[in-house]
Amino acid sequence: MPLARLDRWLRADPRHGQIATLAALLGYGMVWLDFDLTISQAIVTIGTALGVQALVDSCSGRPLVQGAKSALISALSLCLLLRTDHLLLAGAAASVAVLSKVLIRVRDKHVFNPTNFALIVMLVTTEAAWVSPGQWGTSALLAFAFACAGLLVVHRATRSDVTLAFLASYASLVVARSLWLGEPLAIPLHRLESGAFLLFAFFMISDPRTTPDSRAGRVLFATAVALGAAYVQFRLFRTNGFLWSLVVLSPVVPFIDRWMPAARYHWPGAPRPAGPSPWRSAMVRRVVTGLLGWVVIVSSASAAEAFCGFYVARADTRLFNKASQVVLVRDGDRTVLTMANDFRGDPREFAMVIPVPTPITRGQINVGEKAVLDHLDAFTAPRLVEYYDADPCVVFERRFRSGASMLAAPQMEIGDRSSARSLGVTIEAQYTVGEYDILILSATQSSGLEQWLRQNGYRIPPGASTVLGSYIKQNMRFFVARVNLAEQSKLGYATLRPLQVAYESPKFMLPIRLGMVNADGPQELFVYALTRKGRVEATNYRTVKLQTDVEIPVYLKDPAEFGRMYRAMFDQHVKREQMRAVFQEYAWDMRWCDPCAADPLTADELRRLGVFWSGDGEPSRPTWRGPSASPQEVFVTRLHVRYDEAHFPEDLVFQETGDRANFQGRYVLRHAWKGPMRCQAGTAYVRELPARREREAQALVALTGWSIDDVRRRMTDNGMAPLPADPALPWWRRLWGGW
């Protein structure tokens, strides 16, 4: 529409702009960013919000149109932020959002932002709902679009002051913190480009019906919310600091309004309140009480389904160079970290420096077994499976159910503790565990730590001092390990085994910045997260699922060909996301698999990886047919990251979600039927085969970026040329289709 007409439309009611912008963002997220949001969940959320609002408005005698606009804004915001696998919970959240405006009011003004309140209620009352702050990724272009659209909306709602005050306050805090820690400016800029941060600033804290009436009060309120969000994020180390800060500080708004009185904001066209609150109506009370039952309803998980194909090959970590493997076992604030790397060289040249959030005692350190980690890798690896087409002439019914920094150092003795203290370095503990000599260090300044490491034979690359300094100011310790050759010889191990550390901290993160200092190019990192509740995702980078369930040409059955295809496909995914995403390759209940690239890990193996809540009994061996009665409650997530300093400026931060939906990278081979086909269905089947094979070729090209001509040639070379019609059929039966 023309700009003048658009301006009049926004002036008529700023909610028009909010609805249009939120709807556009939702479409962008679902179509382009592939949000974990189904159409059915969006319909349930929006339909429930509008239905509950209509009931409340009809009982109170208020105009339906005015209430519907606000309900639609809340519903669209919930679709953008709330994630759950249960439709009833989506409906419950929408009900809570609308009802909070009726139930929680002071002087005819609802206290909480409806969306924010509903999100917090869901996070507190159920583990099956979560918010994914990293789903938007970090894109300067997206940030600019958010800012332009959002600023226009809040300006029309006369609430640009609260948004700008919040943006300025939070940005100042984030930048000041990074400057104090000595971090590069890329880190605070990465945080400020977050789509979740901008969505909150422009469409949640700016709600004119829940912010203070006076401009001074709004600026004060926005500054306080920014301080609270920074405290939750950087002191308590919890995700969604914006949401928690806003819900805690919203009850302060009525006191600010009394202290700094000003004219109350009303939506254009909305009638001024002239009577008692609608909550005093007996009918409204009955409707609201009945609808609150939504909050306590949690739908049961969907039934497990099985796949009828056959496992052929897997794409494990051996396909990639410079690949490190990390197992993160997490429950509450307890973490067990298992670290393995692809170090190949003289053990005397091996050394590892890892920042850890807490002091570490001897009992918290262990040397693990590479075989267990290899089993986990095999169990979670993307896989190749195959079907065999049945005779098309037979009527049948087939039911388809559907890290660490490597710093080279020579073998030598550690200097005395007095020398370390003179440099501000404290050797808090010193252990020999298996074939490793372990030091736990703390320091007061990065230059002293760097000098001490150099004096003790660690060849610190340029740039490490800055990174070390930021960890020191966060009161992190340093776990330093190198090989004790005598112990290694005594134990008889030819290769270096994984190191394990158990600790308790609210920080659910993986420090990768130190490992990039001396890297000579992008590195591969595989993270296996073992949790009780469900899938693990990154909160400060986008977590993207690999493209899966794609039918590809059968010549890729050769393991070498499949490995080449998978590497090319992963390269394409990295390129598409501009190397700024964490890729999910697998997410599954550990009790079973479908199809099994390897047997699920036993309770004993899980215990050795650090799953401290796993049962002690030996579970039965499940198959693809479904879960066993195994005692462990373990959900495994496999994440794959290709990273470098330019694209991953800050350490990886994770959160456990309530998502238990099964996912695997799976690529399907379909073998054609080669027997006789003496029927019309057989002729149609043969005619369709060339088109099917062309679709497979095009799908492979889309996955890998390979040349279509090369793929077609390889298919022909491997006997996948179009098949002729069955010569056994009489010519006249093929002429008119008379069967």
Side-chain angles (χ1 to χ4, degrees), residues 121-290:
V121 169
M122 291 296 105
L123 292 177
V124 169
T125 58
T126 177
E127 294 182 345
W130 66 96
V131 176
S132 296
Q135 65 183 350
W136 294 98
T138 54
S139 169
L141 180 62
L142 176 62
F144 180 76
F146 261 138
C148 291
L151 191 59
L152 178 64
V153 169
V154 297
H155 175 70
R156 290 305 181 197
T158 68
R159 286 300 184 269
S160 56
D161 47 15
V162 69
T163 293
L164 294 176
F166 174 77
L167 289 172
S169 300
Y170 190 77
S172 299
L173 291 169
V174 171
V175 172
R177 180 179 183 272
S178 289
L179 291 175
W180 176 69
L181 292 175
E183 296 175 339
L185 287 179
I187 291 180
L189 290 178
H190 173 265
R191 290 168 179 161
L192 295 175
E193 289 175 352
S194 165
F197 162 66
L198 295 169
L199 188 69
F200 176 86
F202 287 118
F203 299 100
M204 193 170 291
I205 195 176
S206 61
D207 181 6
R209 294 290 290 160
T210 57
T211 51
D213 296 329
S214 65
R215 172 160 293 181
R218 291 193 293 272
V219 172
L220 176 63
F221 177 69
T223 304
V225 172
L227 286 168
Y231 180 80
V232 173
Q233 198 80 20
F234 302 120
R235 297 293 295 175
L236 301 181
F237 305 105
R238 304 298 183 187
T239 57
N240 304 311
F242 308 125
L243 303 180
W244 292 104
S245 179
L246 182 59
V247 80
V248 168
L249 291 173
S250 289
V252 179
V253 172
F255 297 98
I256 296 177
D257 286 340
R258 284 183 175 273
W259 179 34
M260 303 176 180
R264 179 70 50 83
Y265 182 86
H266 294 279
W267 293 113
R272 300 297 192 269
S277 167
W279 174 241
R280 296 181 184 178
S281 163
M283 177 63 74
V284 173
R285 288 199 301 270
R286 285 194 292 270
V287 171
V288 169
T289 302

Side-chain angles (χ1 to χ4, degrees), residues 53 152 179 281 382 485 571 577:
Q53 185 68 55
L152 178 64
L179 291 175
S281 163
L485 294 178
D571 290 343
E577 296 295 331

Side-chain angles (χ1 to χ4, degrees), residues 576-645:
R576 189 178 305 131
E577 296 295 331
Q578 301 177 332
M579 200 174 167
R580 297 182 184 275
V582 176
F583 295 95
Q584 177 182 315
E585 293 185 328
Y586 194 82
W588 210 275
D589 189 324
M590 180 58 77
R591 295 178 299 167
W592 64 299
C593 47
D594 172 18
C596 293
D599 286 331
L601 275 66
T602 65
D604 178 65
E605 288 175 313
L606 291 171
R607 176 75 67 169
R608 281 183 276 167
L609 283 173
V611 181
F612 48 86
W613 65 87
S614 176
D616 295 326
E618 181 76 10
S620 59
R621 286 292 189 183
T623 67
W624 61 266
R625 297 180 183 278
S628 70
S630 135
Q632 63 258 32
E633 297 177 56
V634 182
F635 196 89
V636 57
T637 308
R638 175 183 171 123
L639 303 173
H640 185 179
V641 192
R642 179 174 296 167
Y643 65 99
D644 61 17
E645 192 172 9

Side-chain angles (χ1 to χ4, degrees), residues 693-726:
R693 288 172 173 170
E694 178 62 18
R695 288 194 301 270
E696 292 172 350
Q698 296 288 349
L700 181 59
V701 169
L703 283 177
T704 61
W706 290 346
S707 163
I708 184 64
D709 292 332
D710 183 59
V711 171
R712 288 170 179 158
R713 179 182 58 79
R714 297 295 303 275
M715 293 174 70
T716 301
D717 292 346
N718 284 270
M720 296 179 62
L723 299 177
D726 191 336

Side-chain angles (χ1 to χ4, degrees), residues 503-521:
Y503 58 86
E504 189 164 352
S505 169
K507 293 182 179 180
F508 188 16
M509 52 88 72
L510 194 61
I512 61 173
R513 292 179 58 214
L514 195 56
M516 291 185 283
V517 173
N518 62 336
D520 58 356

